[in-house]
PDB file of all heavy atoms in Angstrom:
ATOM      1  N   GLY G   1     -20.517 -69.288  54.390  1.00  0.00           N
ATOM      2  CA  GLY G   1     -20.253 -68.551  53.294  1.00  0.00           C
ATOM      3  C   GLY G   1     -19.089 -67.605  53.546  1.00  0.00           C
ATOM      4  O   GLY G   1     -18.187 -67.603  52.628  1.00  0.00           O
ATOM      5  N   PRO G   2     -19.017 -66.880  54.677  1.00  0.00           N
ATOM      6  CA  PRO G   2     -17.799 -66.072  54.880  1.00  0.00           C
ATOM      7  C   PRO G   2     -16.514 -66.820  54.916  1.00  0.00           C
ATOM      8  O   PRO G   2     -15.459 -66.269  54.554  1.00  0.00           O
ATOM      9  CB  PRO G   2     -18.176 -65.423  56.380  1.00  0.00           C
ATOM     10  CG  PRO G   2     -19.560 -65.397  56.261  1.00  0.00           C
ATOM     11  CD  PRO G   2     -20.034 -66.569  55.560  1.00  0.00           C
ATOM     12  N   ILE G   3     -16.447 -67.933  55.407  1.00  0.00           N
ATOM     13  CA  ILE G   3     -15.322 -68.854  55.576  1.00  0.00           C
ATOM     14  C   ILE G   3     -14.807 -69.223  54.099  1.00  0.00           C
ATOM     15  O   ILE G   3     -13.654 -69.047  53.768  1.00  0.00           O
ATOM     16  CB  ILE G   3     -15.554 -70.142  56.318  1.00  0.00           C
ATOM     17  CG1 ILE G   3     -15.943 -69.773  57.756  1.00  0.00           C
ATOM     18  CG2 ILE G   3     -14.271 -71.046  56.315  1.00  0.00           C
ATOM     19  CD1 ILE G   3     -16.292 -71.005  58.641  1.00  0.00           C
ATOM     20  N   LEU G   4     -15.789 -69.626  53.390  1.00  0.00           N
ATOM     21  CA  LEU G   4     -15.466 -69.924  51.861  1.00  0.00           C
ATOM     22  C   LEU G   4     -15.045 -68.789  51.192  1.00  0.00           C
ATOM     23  O   LEU G   4     -13.978 -68.816  50.471  1.00  0.00           O
ATOM     24  CB  LEU G   4     -16.645 -70.606  51.281  1.00  0.00           C
ATOM     25  CG  LEU G   4     -16.552 -70.964  49.657  1.00  0.00           C
ATOM     26  CD1 LEU G   4     -15.421 -71.898  49.630  1.00  0.00           C
ATOM     27  CD2 LEU G   4     -17.753 -71.454  49.205  1.00  0.00           C
ATOM     28  N   ILE G   5     -15.626 -67.685  51.388  1.00  0.00           N
ATOM     29  CA  ILE G   5     -15.176 -66.387  50.699  1.00  0.00           C
ATOM     30  C   ILE G   5     -13.881 -65.973  51.134  1.00  0.00           C
ATOM     31  O   ILE G   5     -13.116 -65.405  50.491  1.00  0.00           O
ATOM     32  CB  ILE G   5     -16.313 -65.319  50.790  1.00  0.00           C
ATOM     33  CG1 ILE G   5     -17.577 -65.679  50.072  1.00  0.00           C
ATOM     34  CG2 ILE G   5     -15.813 -63.971  50.381  1.00  0.00           C
ATOM     35  CD1 ILE G   5     -17.525 -65.661  48.549  1.00  0.00           C
ATOM     36  N   LEU G   6     -13.494 -66.213  52.512  1.00  0.00           N
ATOM     37  CA  LEU G   6     -12.205 -65.696  52.896  1.00  0.00           C
ATOM     38  C   LEU G   6     -11.247 -66.498  52.156  1.00  0.00           C
ATOM     39  O   LEU G   6     -10.100 -65.856  51.707  1.00  0.00           O
ATOM     40  CB  LEU G   6     -12.115 -66.094  54.440  1.00  0.00           C
ATOM     41  CG  LEU G   6     -10.666 -65.990  55.042  1.00  0.00           C
ATOM     42  CD1 LEU G   6     -10.200 -64.583  55.052  1.00  0.00           C
ATOM     43  CD2 LEU G   6     -10.580 -66.706  56.344  1.00  0.00           C
ATOM     44  N   ILE G   7     -11.443 -67.748  51.732  1.00  0.00           N
ATOM     45  CA  ILE G   7     -10.509 -68.568  51.152  1.00  0.00           C
ATOM     46  C   ILE G   7     -10.252 -68.041  49.692  1.00  0.00           C
ATOM     47  O   ILE G   7      -9.165 -67.786  49.112  1.00  0.00           O
ATOM     48  CB  ILE G   7     -10.751 -70.051  51.198  1.00  0.00           C
ATOM     49  CG1 ILE G   7     -10.691 -70.521  52.482  1.00  0.00           C
ATOM     50  CG2 ILE G   7      -9.899 -70.833  50.305  1.00  0.00           C
ATOM     51  CD1 ILE G   7     -11.315 -71.947  52.784  1.00  0.00           C
ATOM     52  N   LEU G   8     -11.509 -67.916  49.078  1.00  0.00           N
ATOM     53  CA  LEU G   8     -11.416 -67.551  47.784  1.00  0.00           C
ATOM     54  C   LEU G   8     -11.058 -66.119  47.423  1.00  0.00           C
ATOM     55  O   LEU G   8     -10.123 -65.951  46.545  1.00  0.00           O
ATOM     56  CB  LEU G   8     -12.827 -67.671  47.076  1.00  0.00           C
ATOM     57  CG  LEU G   8     -13.527 -69.209  47.128  1.00  0.00           C
ATOM     58  CD1 LEU G   8     -14.907 -69.192  46.678  1.00  0.00           C
ATOM     59  CD2 LEU G   8     -12.574 -70.026  46.226  1.00  0.00           C
ATOM     60  N   VAL G   9     -11.584 -65.216  48.078  1.00  0.00           N
ATOM     61  CA  VAL G   9     -11.188 -63.785  47.927  1.00  0.00           C
ATOM     62  C   VAL G   9      -9.785 -63.631  48.320  1.00  0.00           C
ATOM     63  O   VAL G   9      -8.997 -62.720  48.008  1.00  0.00           O
ATOM     64  CB  VAL G   9     -12.219 -62.904  48.507  1.00  0.00           C
ATOM     65  CG1 VAL G   9     -11.692 -61.313  48.350  1.00  0.00           C
ATOM     66  CG2 VAL G   9     -13.586 -62.990  47.911  1.00  0.00           C
ATOM     67  N   GLY G  10      -9.434 -64.365  49.486  1.00  0.00           N
ATOM     68  CA  GLY G  10      -8.158 -64.323  49.930  1.00  0.00           C
ATOM     69  C   GLY G  10      -7.001 -64.753  48.959  1.00  0.00           C
ATOM     70  O   GLY G  10      -6.025 -63.979  48.863  1.00  0.00           O
ATOM     71  N   CYS G  11      -7.341 -65.604  48.071  1.00  0.00           N
ATOM     72  CA  CYS G  11      -6.313 -65.944  46.983  1.00  0.00           C
ATOM     73  C   CYS G  11      -6.333 -64.721  45.930  1.00  0.00           C
ATOM     74  O   CYS G  11      -5.188 -64.417  45.529  1.00  0.00           O
ATOM     75  CB  CYS G  11      -6.919 -67.136  46.238  1.00  0.00           C
ATOM     76  SG  CYS G  11      -6.686 -68.682  47.224  1.00  0.00           S
ATOM     77  N   CYS G  12      -7.528 -64.114  45.770  1.00  0.00           N
ATOM     78  CA  CYS G  12      -7.433 -62.929  44.848  1.00  0.00           C
ATOM     79  C   CYS G  12      -6.643 -61.842  45.469  1.00  0.00           C
ATOM     80  O   CYS G  12      -5.828 -61.312  44.873  1.00  0.00           O
ATOM     81  CB  CYS G  12      -8.927 -62.330  44.678  1.00  0.00           C
ATOM     82  SG  CYS G  12     -10.022 -63.567  43.893  1.00  0.00           S
ATOM     83  N   ALA G  13      -6.782 -61.595  46.911  1.00  0.00           N
ATOM     84  CA  ALA G  13      -5.989 -60.558  47.497  1.00  0.00           C
ATOM     85  C   ALA G  13      -4.514 -60.759  47.457  1.00  0.00           C
ATOM     86  O   ALA G  13      -3.673 -59.973  47.267  1.00  0.00           O
ATOM     87  CB  ALA G  13      -6.618 -60.316  48.879  1.00  0.00           C
ATOM     88  N   LEU G  14      -4.124 -61.966  47.708  1.00  0.00           N
ATOM     89  CA  LEU G  14      -2.733 -62.431  47.713  1.00  0.00           C
ATOM     90  C   LEU G  14      -2.197 -62.249  46.163  1.00  0.00           C
ATOM     91  O   LEU G  14      -0.909 -61.687  46.128  1.00  0.00           O
ATOM     92  CB  LEU G  14      -2.522 -63.908  48.091  1.00  0.00           C
ATOM     93  CG  LEU G  14      -2.778 -64.151  49.538  1.00  0.00           C
ATOM     94  CD1 LEU G  14      -2.864 -65.757  49.769  1.00  0.00           C
ATOM     95  CD2 LEU G  14      -1.699 -63.590  50.443  1.00  0.00           C
ATOM     96  N   THR G  15      -3.032 -62.551  45.186  1.00  0.00           N
ATOM     97  CA  THR G  15      -2.528 -62.334  43.825  1.00  0.00           C
ATOM     98  C   THR G  15      -2.270 -60.683  43.623  1.00  0.00           C
ATOM     99  O   THR G  15      -1.164 -60.371  43.154  1.00  0.00           O
ATOM    100  CB  THR G  15      -3.552 -62.732  42.884  1.00  0.00           C
ATOM    101  OG1 THR G  15      -3.639 -64.220  42.943  1.00  0.00           O
ATOM    102  CG2 THR G  15      -3.130 -62.352  41.444  1.00  0.00           C
ATOM    103  N   LEU G  16      -3.208 -59.974  44.072  1.00  0.00           N
ATOM    104  CA  LEU G  16      -3.112 -58.506  43.866  1.00  0.00           C
ATOM    105  C   LEU G  16      -1.928 -57.906  44.666  1.00  0.00           C
ATOM    106  O   LEU G  16      -1.237 -57.028  44.204  1.00  0.00           O
ATOM    107  CB  LEU G  16      -4.429 -57.748  44.250  1.00  0.00           C
ATOM    108  CG  LEU G  16      -5.737 -58.263  43.646  1.00  0.00           C
ATOM    109  CD1 LEU G  16      -6.936 -57.523  44.157  1.00  0.00           C
ATOM    110  CD2 LEU G  16      -5.670 -57.928  42.110  1.00  0.00           C
ATOM    111  N   ALA G  17      -1.756 -58.496  45.878  1.00  0.00           N
ATOM    112  CA  ALA G  17      -0.686 -57.923  46.715  1.00  0.00           C
ATOM    113  C   ALA G  17       0.681 -58.075  46.134  1.00  0.00           C
ATOM    114  O   ALA G  17       1.579 -57.314  46.276  1.00  0.00           O
ATOM    115  CB  ALA G  17      -0.775 -58.652  48.122  1.00  0.00           C
ATOM    116  N   GLU G  18       0.851 -59.396  45.616  1.00  0.00           N
ATOM    117  CA  GLU G  18       2.158 -59.505  44.955  1.00  0.00           C
ATOM    118  C   GLU G  18       2.399 -58.607  43.832  1.00  0.00           C
ATOM    119  O   GLU G  18       3.544 -57.990  43.707  1.00  0.00           O
ATOM    120  CB  GLU G  18       2.165 -61.044  44.371  1.00  0.00           C
ATOM    121  CG  GLU G  18       2.617 -62.117  45.358  1.00  0.00           C
ATOM    122  CD  GLU G  18       3.383 -63.307  44.698  1.00  0.00           C
ATOM    123  OE1 GLU G  18       2.576 -63.845  43.806  1.00  0.00           O
ATOM    124  OE2 GLU G  18       4.344 -63.700  45.015  1.00  0.00           O
ATOM    125  N   LEU G  19       1.483 -58.410  42.960  1.00  0.00           N
ATOM    126  CA  LEU G  19       1.694 -57.444  41.836  1.00  0.00           C
ATOM    127  C   LEU G  19       1.822 -56.004  42.312  1.00  0.00           C
ATOM    128  O   LEU G  19       2.642 -55.220  41.759  1.00  0.00           O
ATOM    129  CB  LEU G  19       0.479 -57.666  40.896  1.00  0.00           C
ATOM    130  CG  LEU G  19       0.618 -58.900  39.909  1.00  0.00           C
ATOM    131  CD1 LEU G  19      -0.777 -59.162  39.429  1.00  0.00           C
ATOM    132  CD2 LEU G  19       1.628 -58.741  38.900  1.00  0.00           C
ATOM    133  N   ALA G  20       0.974 -55.649  43.289  1.00  0.00           N
ATOM    134  CA  ALA G  20       1.112 -54.303  43.769  1.00  0.00           C
ATOM    135  C   ALA G  20       2.487 -54.047  44.513  1.00  0.00           C
ATOM    136  O   ALA G  20       2.952 -52.841  44.577  1.00  0.00           O
ATOM    137  CB  ALA G  20      -0.005 -54.113  44.881  1.00  0.00           C
ATOM    138  N   SER G  21       3.106 -55.012  45.047  1.00  0.00           N
ATOM    139  CA  SER G  21       4.447 -54.791  45.526  1.00  0.00           C
ATOM    140  C   SER G  21       5.565 -54.497  44.534  1.00  0.00           C
ATOM    141  O   SER G  21       6.606 -53.958  44.902  1.00  0.00           O
ATOM    142  CB  SER G  21       4.790 -55.944  46.445  1.00  0.00           C
ATOM    143  OG  SER G  21       5.062 -57.104  45.575  1.00  0.00           O
ATOM    144  N   VAL G  22       5.245 -54.764  43.405  1.00  0.00           N
ATOM    145  CA  VAL G  22       6.024 -54.493  42.160  1.00  0.00           C
ATOM    146  C   VAL G  22       5.789 -53.302  41.335  1.00  0.00           C
ATOM    147  O   VAL G  22       6.556 -52.509  41.114  1.00  0.00           O
ATOM    148  CB  VAL G  22       6.273 -55.848  41.314  1.00  0.00           C
ATOM    149  CG1 VAL G  22       7.221 -55.511  40.197  1.00  0.00           C
ATOM    150  CG2 VAL G  22       6.615 -56.991  42.142  1.00  0.00           C
ATOM    151  N   TYR G  23       4.369 -53.226  41.075  1.00  0.00           N
ATOM    152  CA  TYR G  23       4.007 -52.064  40.295  1.00  0.00           C
ATOM    153  C   TYR G  23       2.703 -51.393  40.998  1.00  0.00           C
ATOM    154  O   TYR G  23       1.474 -51.582  40.688  1.00  0.00           O
ATOM    155  CB  TYR G  23       3.326 -52.730  38.953  1.00  0.00           C
ATOM    156  CG  TYR G  23       4.316 -53.736  38.307  1.00  0.00           C
ATOM    157  CD1 TYR G  23       3.917 -55.045  38.289  1.00  0.00           C
ATOM    158  CD2 TYR G  23       5.502 -53.310  37.619  1.00  0.00           C
ATOM    159  CE1 TYR G  23       4.807 -55.930  37.542  1.00  0.00           C
ATOM    160  CE2 TYR G  23       6.253 -54.219  36.935  1.00  0.00           C
ATOM    161  CZ  TYR G  23       5.952 -55.516  36.952  1.00  0.00           C
ATOM    162  OH  TYR G  23       6.745 -56.521  36.403  1.00  0.00           O
ATOM    163  N   PRO G  24       3.087 -50.529  41.850  1.00  0.00           N
ATOM    164  CA  PRO G  24       2.015 -49.756  42.734  1.00  0.00           C
ATOM    165  C   PRO G  24       1.700 -48.605  41.947  1.00  0.00           C
ATOM    166  O   PRO G  24       2.205 -47.551  42.142  1.00  0.00           O
ATOM    167  CB  PRO G  24       2.708 -49.504  44.056  1.00  0.00           C
ATOM    168  CG  PRO G  24       4.267 -49.469  43.640  1.00  0.00           C
ATOM    169  CD  PRO G  24       4.446 -50.314  42.653  1.00  0.00           C
ATOM    170  N   THR G  25       0.638 -48.755  41.027  1.00  0.00           N
ATOM    171  CA  THR G  25       0.094 -47.596  40.204  1.00  0.00           C
ATOM    172  C   THR G  25      -1.333 -47.535  40.424  1.00  0.00           C
ATOM    173  O   THR G  25      -2.026 -48.398  40.753  1.00  0.00           O
ATOM    174  CB  THR G  25       0.493 -47.764  38.774  1.00  0.00           C
ATOM    175  OG1 THR G  25      -0.440 -48.816  38.251  1.00  0.00           O
ATOM    176  CG2 THR G  25       1.955 -48.135  38.508  1.00  0.00           C
ATOM    177  N   ALA G  26      -1.874 -46.270  40.164  1.00  0.00           N
ATOM    178  CA  ALA G  26      -3.439 -46.173  40.372  1.00  0.00           C
ATOM    179  C   ALA G  26      -4.079 -46.993  39.430  1.00  0.00           C
ATOM    180  O   ALA G  26      -5.373 -47.281  39.603  1.00  0.00           O
ATOM    181  CB  ALA G  26      -3.845 -44.632  40.069  1.00  0.00           C
ATOM    182  N   GLY G  27      -3.577 -47.441  38.227  1.00  0.00           N
ATOM    183  CA  GLY G  27      -4.194 -48.216  37.341  1.00  0.00           C
ATOM    184  C   GLY G  27      -4.527 -49.591  37.768  1.00  0.00           C
ATOM    185  O   GLY G  27      -5.402 -50.252  37.355  1.00  0.00           O
ATOM    186  N   GLY G  28      -3.745 -50.033  38.533  1.00  0.00           N
ATOM    187  CA  GLY G  28      -3.792 -51.409  39.159  1.00  0.00           C
ATOM    188  C   GLY G  28      -3.896 -52.473  38.174  1.00  0.00           C
ATOM    189  O   GLY G  28      -2.927 -52.662  37.361  1.00  0.00           O
ATOM    190  N   GLN G  29      -4.954 -53.260  38.033  1.00  0.00           N
ATOM    191  CA  GLN G  29      -5.178 -54.396  37.241  1.00  0.00           C
ATOM    192  C   GLN G  29      -4.895 -54.141  35.793  1.00  0.00           C
ATOM    193  O   GLN G  29      -4.268 -54.940  35.120  1.00  0.00           O
ATOM    194  CB  GLN G  29      -6.617 -54.980  37.412  1.00  0.00           C
ATOM    195  CG  GLN G  29      -6.875 -55.411  38.922  1.00  0.00           C
ATOM    196  CD  GLN G  29      -7.609 -54.576  39.726  1.00  0.00           C
ATOM    197  OE1 GLN G  29      -7.108 -53.383  39.972  1.00  0.00           O
ATOM    198  NE2 GLN G  29      -8.795 -54.841  40.150  1.00  0.00           N
ATOM    199  N   TYR G  30      -5.424 -52.997  35.254  1.00  0.00           N
ATOM    200  CA  TYR G  30      -5.282 -52.897  33.838  1.00  0.00           C
ATOM    201  C   TYR G  30      -3.782 -52.479  33.480  1.00  0.00           C
ATOM    202  O   TYR G  30      -3.253 -52.775  32.293  1.00  0.00           O
ATOM    203  CB  TYR G  30      -6.212 -51.857  33.252  1.00  0.00           C
ATOM    204  CG  TYR G  30      -5.921 -50.244  33.359  1.00  0.00           C
ATOM    205  CD1 TYR G  30      -5.155 -49.699  32.195  1.00  0.00           C
ATOM    206  CD2 TYR G  30      -6.198 -49.499  34.430  1.00  0.00           C
ATOM    207  CE1 TYR G  30      -4.792 -48.440  32.305  1.00  0.00           C
ATOM    208  CE2 TYR G  30      -5.943 -48.221  34.416  1.00  0.00           C
ATOM    209  CZ  TYR G  30      -5.141 -47.671  33.320  1.00  0.00           C
ATOM    210  OH  TYR G  30      -4.901 -46.297  33.353  1.00  0.00           O
ATOM    211  N   HIS G  31      -3.071 -51.831  34.381  1.00  0.00           N
ATOM    212  CA  HIS G  31      -1.643 -51.489  34.167  1.00  0.00           C
ATOM    213  C   HIS G  31      -0.921 -52.767  34.172  1.00  0.00           C
ATOM    214  O   HIS G  31       0.081 -53.061  33.282  1.00  0.00           O
ATOM    215  CB  HIS G  31      -0.954 -50.531  35.127  1.00  0.00           C
ATOM    216  CG  HIS G  31      -1.242 -49.128  34.895  1.00  0.00           C
ATOM    217  ND1 HIS G  31      -0.887 -48.073  35.645  1.00  0.00           N
ATOM    218  CD2 HIS G  31      -1.721 -48.551  33.752  1.00  0.00           C
ATOM    219  CE1 HIS G  31      -1.164 -47.011  35.163  1.00  0.00           C
ATOM    220  NE2 HIS G  31      -1.671 -47.202  33.956  1.00  0.00           N
ATOM    221  N   TRP G  32      -1.109 -53.675  35.100  1.00  0.00           N
ATOM    222  CA  TRP G  32      -0.430 -54.928  35.157  1.00  0.00           C
ATOM    223  C   TRP G  32      -0.854 -55.891  33.812  1.00  0.00           C
ATOM    224  O   TRP G  32       0.085 -56.577  33.462  1.00  0.00           O
ATOM    225  CB  TRP G  32      -0.957 -55.755  36.316  1.00  0.00           C
ATOM    226  CG  TRP G  32      -0.700 -55.082  37.713  1.00  0.00           C
ATOM    227  CD1 TRP G  32       0.198 -53.953  37.921  1.00  0.00           C
ATOM    228  CD2 TRP G  32      -1.418 -55.241  38.892  1.00  0.00           C
ATOM    229  NE1 TRP G  32      -0.065 -53.489  39.134  1.00  0.00           N
ATOM    230  CE2 TRP G  32      -0.915 -54.283  39.743  1.00  0.00           C
ATOM    231  CE3 TRP G  32      -2.459 -56.144  39.347  1.00  0.00           C
ATOM    232  CZ2 TRP G  32      -1.363 -54.119  41.079  1.00  0.00           C
ATOM    233  CZ3 TRP G  32      -2.924 -56.119  40.636  1.00  0.00           C
ATOM    234  CH2 TRP G  32      -2.284 -55.133  41.518  1.00  0.00           C
ATOM    235  N   THR G  33      -2.057 -55.740  33.445  1.00  0.00           N
ATOM    236  CA  THR G  33      -2.415 -56.437  32.209  1.00  0.00           C
ATOM    237  C   THR G  33      -1.611 -56.004  31.016  1.00  0.00           C
ATOM    238  O   THR G  33      -1.090 -56.653  30.156  1.00  0.00           O
ATOM    239  CB  THR G  33      -3.828 -56.328  31.947  1.00  0.00           C
ATOM    240  OG1 THR G  33      -4.553 -56.826  33.007  1.00  0.00           O
ATOM    241  CG2 THR G  33      -4.259 -56.945  30.588  1.00  0.00           C
ATOM    242  N   SER G  34      -1.386 -54.601  30.915  1.00  0.00           N
ATOM    243  CA  SER G  34      -0.624 -54.027  29.928  1.00  0.00           C
ATOM    244  C   SER G  34       0.915 -54.521  29.960  1.00  0.00           C
ATOM    245  O   SER G  34       1.479 -54.768  28.866  1.00  0.00           O
ATOM    246  CB  SER G  34      -0.704 -52.412  29.944  1.00  0.00           C
ATOM    247  OG  SER G  34       0.173 -51.816  28.966  1.00  0.00           O
ATOM    248  N   ILE G  35       1.356 -54.589  31.116  1.00  0.00           N
ATOM    249  CA  ILE G  35       2.806 -55.042  31.278  1.00  0.00           C
ATOM    250  C   ILE G  35       2.928 -56.475  30.945  1.00  0.00           C
ATOM    251  O   ILE G  35       3.982 -56.853  30.395  1.00  0.00           O
ATOM    252  CB  ILE G  35       3.215 -54.657  32.655  1.00  0.00           C
ATOM    253  CG1 ILE G  35       3.149 -53.172  33.082  1.00  0.00           C
ATOM    254  CG2 ILE G  35       4.543 -55.291  33.122  1.00  0.00           C
ATOM    255  CD1 ILE G  35       3.305 -52.687  34.455  1.00  0.00           C
ATOM    256  N   LEU G  36       2.018 -57.321  31.425  1.00  0.00           N
ATOM    257  CA  LEU G  36       2.204 -58.817  31.424  1.00  0.00           C
ATOM    258  C   LEU G  36       1.799 -59.372  30.014  1.00  0.00           C
ATOM    259  O   LEU G  36       2.164 -60.425  29.576  1.00  0.00           O
ATOM    260  CB  LEU G  36       1.461 -59.437  32.524  1.00  0.00           C
ATOM    261  CG  LEU G  36       1.951 -59.148  33.886  1.00  0.00           C
ATOM    262  CD1 LEU G  36       0.995 -59.622  34.976  1.00  0.00           C
ATOM    263  CD2 LEU G  36       3.377 -59.787  34.049  1.00  0.00           C
ATOM    264  N   ALA G  37       0.945 -58.663  29.290  1.00  0.00           N
ATOM    265  CA  ALA G  37       0.266 -59.350  28.188  1.00  0.00           C
ATOM    266  C   ALA G  37       1.279 -59.313  26.984  1.00  0.00           C
ATOM    267  O   ALA G  37       2.154 -58.458  26.963  1.00  0.00           O
ATOM    268  CB  ALA G  37      -1.021 -58.544  27.639  1.00  0.00           C
TER     269      ALA G  37
END
């Protein structure tokens, strides 16, 4: 389970890391949604 979760959550973390490197705000996901939608 931890191996599978490393892969799956790892993809989530990589997605978040890319966006955070451009828009580092306390709002995080909802700020990015506002910008990208």
Side-chain angles (χ1 to χ4, degrees):
I3 299 174
L4 179 60
I5 291 297
L6 170 68
I7 297 170
L8 296 175
V9 176
C11 291
C12 300
L14 289 168
T15 296
L16 301 178
E18 271 204 306
L19 286 164
S21 69
V22 183
Y23 313 107
T25 73
Q29 296 95 302
Y30 87 88
H31 271 175
W32 305 336
T33 299
S34 179
I35 293 165
L36 295 169

